[in-house]
Amino acid sequence: MQSDRGLVIGKFAPLHRGHQLVLDTAVRETRELTVLVYSVPDFPPMPSAMRAGWVRRLYPDAVVLVPDDPPPNDAPDQVHQDYVADFLRASGVEVDVVFTSEAYGDDLAQTLNSPGVPVRHRLVDSTRSAFPISGTEIRQDVHCHREWLDRCVYADFVEMVVLLGAESTGKSSLTVALAEEFGTTFVPEVGRDVWQEKHGELTLDDYVDIATRHRGLEDAALLDANRYVFVDTNALTTMLLCYAYEGRGLPELTDLARSAEHRYAHTFLCSDDIPFEQDGWRDDEMWRTRAQGLVRFDLASRGITYTEIGGSITERVQLVRSALADPSSSRDVSRESAEAQ
């Protein structure tokens, strides 16, 4: 039976497969769907705007609304139901059917009834037999329960870890080693491949292309990650090299570098305490020393906190593991994907 206008209400903290079963049913059985997303108190690691963004991303045809002043979660059911009825009325939204997996749906439908517009309740999998999981369980360990989340939802819980440093400081080898150690994805350095393809003859547009392609690989790696994504260099390094070799840069590259300032949860600077290796494409050891200084200066001038790591690959892996295990080494980040929501 298909109705004209459906309604789904939830915290979606986080949006999981059980929620999606309700939403999928609503999409299939209605012509128009309105989704309300709210929680008081909110969830700082995944605020309402982020959670609403997940719904919009997965259900682009739905109207997703985040009320400004909803009642607290522990308010009586009738308070919530009256609030929803008033909010929908003020928003000009009419519904024919409410989709839930909860018993309160019958009372909510009754509250939403208005003369000439009866509202019914569509109960979906109230026993949770299809997806026996709850948001509370997932919040206890999102990474352990990631199989219950869509990839685009879980991606917002993944921390990106960037490795910076001059050439021949072991970044590429360490990036691969860390991905293997943590069983997750990594992003290789794009600039090196482009440099070799063009035999070191780059234009200003090439540097923008490098940073843009690298950014795209980061976004793709998030979707298949496990807790972390390890990234070999970023737009900050690309911009430094652009100015070092070209003497100037394009505004697009500056914007990409600026957005990289707050994109990563952890920044590690690979020390130049290992022997310099000339592979035929690099400058020399003196340039490595100078470039390392430029990287340090750039991080300091931007106020980016970082951890310098040295020693062998094995020693560096352990240093990174120890740092990641220390909660004080993490910082809140807002990737563009989250900000856009």
Side-chain angles (χ1 to χ4, degrees), residues 193-261:
D193 292 338
V194 176
W195 181 267
Q196 292 179 355
E197 290 169 6
K198 301 208 168 187
H199 304 285
E201 299 293 331
L202 303 187
T203 67
L204 292 179
D205 286 332
D206 287 327
Y207 289 94
V208 175
D209 180 57
I210 288 168
T212 302
R213 286 170 54 186
H214 191 90
R215 183 66 166 260
L217 289 177
E218 290 180 359
D219 290 338
L222 285 169
L223 297 176
D224 294 310
N226 173 18
R227 194 178 294 264
Y228 303 108
V229 170
F230 294 98
V231 181
D232 181 357
T233 73
N234 62 13
L236 297 176
T237 300
T238 304
M239 191 180 78
L240 280 178
L241 293 176
C242 182
Y243 275 86
Y245 288 110
E246 308 298 332
R248 58 197 180 98
L250 296 175
E252 298 92 330
L253 183 57
T254 300
D255 291 341
L256 285 164
R258 185 175 293 116
S259 67
E261 293 177 3

Side-chain angles (χ1 to χ4, degrees), residues 20-295:
Q20 288 185 248
L21 178 60
V22 176
L23 289 163
D24 290 342
T25 303
V27 168
R28 186 171 59 251
E29 298 183 4
T30 61
R31 295 184 178 87
E32 299 176 9
L33 176 63
T34 299
V35 183
L36 299 191
V37 181
Y38 73 83
S39 175
V40 178
D42 211 345
F43 299 88
M46 45 179 147
S48 294
M50 175 182 285
R51 303 195 311 275
W54 294 333
V55 180
R56 292 188 183 105
R57 213 178 310 167
L58 292 172
Y59 302 92
D61 293 330
V63 176
V64 183
L65 303 175
V66 180
D68 291 328
D69 56 348
N73 296 340
D74 58 3
D77 284 350
Q78 191 60 53
V79 171
H80 281 276
Q81 292 162 18
D82 290 339
Y83 173 81
V84 169
D86 291 341
F87 177 82
L88 293 177
R89 190 177 304 112
S91 303
V93 176
E94 293 185 348
V95 300
D96 304 303
V97 56
V98 176
F99 293 81
T100 82
S101 57
E102 308 283 353
Y104 74 76
D106 289 335
D107 292 334
L108 175 59
Q110 185 65 34
T111 300
L112 295 179
N113 273 329
S114 61
V117 186
V119 178
R120 65 185 179 88
H121 174 216
R122 171 72 160 90
L123 186 62
V124 181
D125 193 29
S126 62
T127 62
R128 307 295 200 279
S129 58
F131 299 102
I133 194 67
S134 70
T136 301
E137 291 177 274
I138 294 174
R139 288 195 298 274
Q140 292 173 356
D141 191 336
V142 172
H143 304 290
C144 179
H145 296 298
R146 65 184 183 277
E147 72 272 15
W148 299 104
L149 306 177
D150 186 272
R151 294 161 71 221
C152 79
V153 174
Y154 179 65
D156 279 331
F157 295 97
V158 175
E159 296 182 358
M160 283 200 291
V161 181
V162 66
L163 307 179
L164 301 178
E167 59 187 10
S168 191
T169 52
K171 300 185 302 298
S172 299
S173 298
L174 182 58
T175 301
V176 174
L178 286 168
E180 292 177 351
E181 176 76 10
F182 286 86
T184 188
T185 54
F186 71 94
V187 178
E189 181 184 6
V190 173
R192 179 182 177 85
D193 292 338
V194 176
W195 181 267
Q196 292 179 355
E197 290 169 6
K198 301 208 168 187
H199 304 285
E201 299 293 331
L202 303 187
T203 67
L204 292 179
D205 286 332
D206 287 327
Y207 289 94
V208 175
D209 180 57
I210 288 168
T212 302
R213 286 170 54 186
H214 191 90
R215 183 66 166 260
L217 289 177
E218 290 180 359
D219 290 338
L222 285 169
L223 297 176
D224 294 310
N226 173 18
R227 194 178 294 264
Y228 303 108
V229 170
F230 294 98
V231 181
D232 181 357
T233 73
N234 62 13
L236 297 176
T237 300
T238 304
M239 191 180 78
L240 280 178
L241 293 176
C242 182
Y243 275 86
Y245 288 110
E246 308 298 332
R248 58 197 180 98
L250 296 175
E252 298 92 330
L253 183 57
T254 300
D255 291 341
L256 285 164
R258 185 175 293 116
S259 67
E261 293 177 3
H262 305 289
R263 183 170 169 81
Y264 307 91
H266 309 270
T267 299
F268 291 94
L269 176 64
C270 292
S271 176
D272 56 356
D273 62 346
I274 58 177
F276 178 82
E277 291 187 9
Q278 179 54 263
D279 61 0
W281 294 99
R282 293 168 175 159
D283 284 308
D284 55 28
E285 190 166 4
M286 182 176 292
W287 165 245
R288 180 179 73 165
T289 301
R290 291 174 176 171
Q292 190 77 344
L294 289 174
V295 173

